[in-house]
């Protein structure tokens, strides 16, 4: 059996007639709906195929250039159906997930649930139960809402099933589920999300801005990308990037911090107070793990170092929790136009045993920096009784961090 591969079909060729302007050209938290959707499928789909109009082709090409997985650009048609068919024909995946870029709030679990249903049953239609009372406008008759679902996207299908349905369909349809059902395809529904809304009118804009501003940082996750692009005029896979363009993708920084061990001080690492007869000496709480992570992030952004931002000559920082410094550093990093991707660290200490506190450290740092805990790594090593760490004179932490430049 052929390996299952996934193509995300991203639709961005509409006219946005109800909006009054092309919503694909809008920016939310510095990114267009197309960019947000490309990011949402990263690490899940093996490729993306974006159906565009002349108005949206340029921003789709820009989104594709900075995507870490293959992206193809195809011209849409006069109707939604024509756009979908053009994109599906260009897709390399055995499963296609058709998604409206106007639903740029889509979450990764909704995508995965739709794809799981397609793999198991041939199709998976993201949908949510209808919560409101629904009536016919002419008669006032109430519909049984226990039987009603509000369809969303993605709507995922085995590619052969969808192409076969398109070859048989007659007439126009509101979405691919409707089209497939008209040709006898048995529909299967997957759980969507109430926040997976469609950007339709100008009244939606403040709500979208609010939700995206509150959402935790959206990163390009890692993932095995296996599908290769078919050669075609609009293919933008594996582009050659200039140094300036590369700097707008991922940037790497390193940080290192050492604090002396002393009696009468608390030992705090990653915001966790660890029982031990010695603690770390410093102006703040001397959390060397938080300090090294902050320095790595500031370095990645070329924003100086922790001493410049939080000098030990400032009494405001005496005894302060370094998690508060981390939170403030993250705010300054985002204000400078960057988003945090991940942090890796290693703590060199002879004693005490730190492994039992790993998860608490990761969770604390994730909350302070505003990223998922799976994006924080904390490791430990002992110096085997050598050097100042081995002699219990100090603890040293080294960290590396990656950030991504947000293009505004």
């Amino acid at each position: 059996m052929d390996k299952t591969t996934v193509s995300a079909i991203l639709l961005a060729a509409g006219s946005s007639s109800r909006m009054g302007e092309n919503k694909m050209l809008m920016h939310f938290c510095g990114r267009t709906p197309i960019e947000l959707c490309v990011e949402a499928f990263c690490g899940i789909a093996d490729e993306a195929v974006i159906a565009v109009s002349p108005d949206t082709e340029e921003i789709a090409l820009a989104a594709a250039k900075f995507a870490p997985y293959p992206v193809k650009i195809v011209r849409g048609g006069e109707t939604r159906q024509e756009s979908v068919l053009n994109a599906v024909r260009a897709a390399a995946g055995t499963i296609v997930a058709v998604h409206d870029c106007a639903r740029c709030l889509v979450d990764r679990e909704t995508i995965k649930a739709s794809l799981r249903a397609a793999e198991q049953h041939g199709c998976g239609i993201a949908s949510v139960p209808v919560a409101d009372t629904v009536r016919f406008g002419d008669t006032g008759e109430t519909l049984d809402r226990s039987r009603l679902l509000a369809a969303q996207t993605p709507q995922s299908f085995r590619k052969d099933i969808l192409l076969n349905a398109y070859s048989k369909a007659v007439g126009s349809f509101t979405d691919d589920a409707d089209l497939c059902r008209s040709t006898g395809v048995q529909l299967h529904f997957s759980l969507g999300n109430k926040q997976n809304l469609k950007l339709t009118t100008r009244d939606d804009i403040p709500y979208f801005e609010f939700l995206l501003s509150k959402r935790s940082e959206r990163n390009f996750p890692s993932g095995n990308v296996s599908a290769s692009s078919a050669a075609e005029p609009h293919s933008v896979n594996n582009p050659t990037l200039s140094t300036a363009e590369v700097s707008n993708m991922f940037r790497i920084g390193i940080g290192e911090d050492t604090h002396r061990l002393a009696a009468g001080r608390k030992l705090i690492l990653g915001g966790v107070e660890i029982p031990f007869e010695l603690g770390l000496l410093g102006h703040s709480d001397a959390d060397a793990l938080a300090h090294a992570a902050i320095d790595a992030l500031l370095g990645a952004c070329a924003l100086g170092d922790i001493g410049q931002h939080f000098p030990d000559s400032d009494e405001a920082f005496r005894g302060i929790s370094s998690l508060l410094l981390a939170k403030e550093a993250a705010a300054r990093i985002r204000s400078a136009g960057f988003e945090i991707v991940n942090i890796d660290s290693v703590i060199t200490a002879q004693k005490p045993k730190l492994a039992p506190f790993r998860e608490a450290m990761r969770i604390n740092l994730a909350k302070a920096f505003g990223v998922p805990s799976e994006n924080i790594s904390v490791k430990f090593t002992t110096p085997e009784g050598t050097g100042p760490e081995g002699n219990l004179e100090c603890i040293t932490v080294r960290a590396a961090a990656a950030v991504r430049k947000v293009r505004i």
Side-chain angles (χ1 to χ4, degrees):
M1 183 176 179
D2 292 338
K3 177 182 179 294
T4 298
T5 53
V6 175
S7 296
I9 306 300
L10 304 181
L11 304 179
S15 61
S16 304
S17 57
R18 285 176 286 182
M19 180 67 71
E21 61 180 291
N22 197 319
K23 55 196 171 191
M24 294 297 108
L25 305 180
M26 296 178 176
H27 285 76
F28 299 92
C29 297
R31 286 166 288 180
T32 65
I34 296 174
E35 289 175 301
L36 290 167
C37 290
V38 168
E39 291 181 16
F41 280 87
C42 184
I44 299 176
D46 297 280
E47 67 167 4
V49 183
I50 310 175
V52 301
S53 68
D55 291 336
T56 61
E57 183 170 6
E58 184 176 348
I59 57 171
L61 286 167
K65 182 179 291 186
F66 289 92
Y69 66 124
V71 177
K72 303 171 187 173
I73 308 296
V74 300
R75 281 294 177 90
E78 292 296 321
T79 66
R80 184 185 190 279
Q81 286 172 229
E82 291 177 12
S83 295
V84 173
L85 186 56
N86 290 349
V88 172
R89 284 172 172 165
T94 56
I95 291 178
V96 291
V98 182
H99 185 67
D100 294 322
C101 282
R103 294 188 185 271
C104 56
L105 299 175
V106 66
D107 61 290
R108 296 170 65 77
E109 188 49 47
T110 293
I111 296 171
K112 292 177 182 178
S114 174
L115 291 170
R116 284 194 296 267
E119 188 167 13
Q120 294 171 14
H121 306 291
C123 74
I125 312 302
S127 55
V128 292
V130 173
D132 297 325
T133 298
V134 182
R135 304 178 189 276
F136 285 113
D138 53 352
T139 67
E141 178 186 353
T142 301
L143 281 70
D144 181 4
R145 65 184 176 193
S146 68
R147 300 179 58 198
L148 299 178
L149 293 173
Q152 302 180 333
T153 63
Q155 297 184 359
S156 301
F157 305 86
R158 277 199 351 237
K159 182 181 175 181
D160 61 324
I161 289 176
L162 186 57
L163 285 176
N164 183 58
Y166 265 86
S167 70
K168 296 179 178 179
V170 177
S172 60
F173 302 88
T174 58
D175 62 10
D176 298 284
D178 193 24
L179 182 149
C180 286
R181 183 177 178 276
S182 75
T183 64
V185 174
Q186 178 66 46
L187 299 183
H188 292 267
F189 300 94
S190 60
L191 184 61
N193 188 308
K194 289 183 179 179
Q195 291 189 3
N196 183 22
L197 302 171
K198 188 173 184 179
L199 182 62
T200 305
T201 69
R202 297 198 64 82
D203 289 341
D204 299 327
I205 295 173
Y207 189 53
F208 272 62
E209 289 177 338
F210 172 78
L211 290 177
L212 284 168
S213 69
K214 296 299 181 184
R215 182 172 289 183
S216 59
E217 289 300 308
R218 302 184 68 167
N219 309 317
F220 277 126
S222 61
N224 294 323
V225 178
S226 59
S228 59
S229 164
E232 51 186 288
H234 291 289
S235 176
V236 291
N237 299 297
N238 303 317
T240 301
L241 302 179
S242 69
T243 301
E245 288 171 325
V246 170
S247 73
N248 276 343
M249 294 176 65
F250 296 104
R251 296 171 60 163
I252 308 300
I254 58 173
E256 180 174 337
D257 196 44
T258 298
H259 282 272
R260 289 184 177 274
L261 285 165
R265 290 278 298 186
K266 294 179 179 179
L267 176 57
I268 297 175
L269 290 168
V272 180
E273 185 174 338
I274 299 164
F276 192 51
E277 63 265 31
L278 301 175
L280 294 175
L281 196 61
H283 184 68
S284 64
D285 63 359
D287 187 335
L289 174 55
H291 294 179
I294 292 169
D295 248 1
L297 288 166
L298 292 172
C301 304
L303 292 176
D305 58 41
I306 189 171
Q308 290 175 260
H309 290 262
F310 313 109
D312 58 11
S313 58
D314 191 337
E315 283 300 303
F317 303 126
R318 182 174 294 279
I320 193 171
S321 167
S322 294
L323 294 182
L324 295 177
L325 302 183
K327 186 175 182 180
E328 175 59 25
R332 297 182 187 187
I333 286 165
R334 293 186 179 100
S335 294
F338 296 89
E339 58 185 15
I340 299 168
V341 177
N342 75 298
I343 301 168
D344 186 24
S345 62
V346 59
I347 302 174
T348 303
Q350 186 66 37
K351 293 181 180 179
K353 292 292 185 183
L354 299 174
F357 307 99
R358 185 199 315 267
E359 289 309 304
M361 293 178 186
R362 293 177 64 231
I363 290 170
N364 286 347
L365 291 175
K367 289 180 179 178
F369 288 118
V371 298
S373 60
E374 63 258 32
N375 293 22
I376 304 290
S377 170
V378 180
K379 306 189 298 293
F380 312 102
T381 187
T382 62
E384 303 294 338
T386 64
E389 293 88 358
N391 293 326
L392 297 183
E393 296 175 23
C394 65
I395 287 178
T396 296
V397 182
R398 297 174 179 88
V403 300
R404 176 175 172 261
K405 180 74 172 178
V406 178
R407 289 166 286 115
I408 301 176

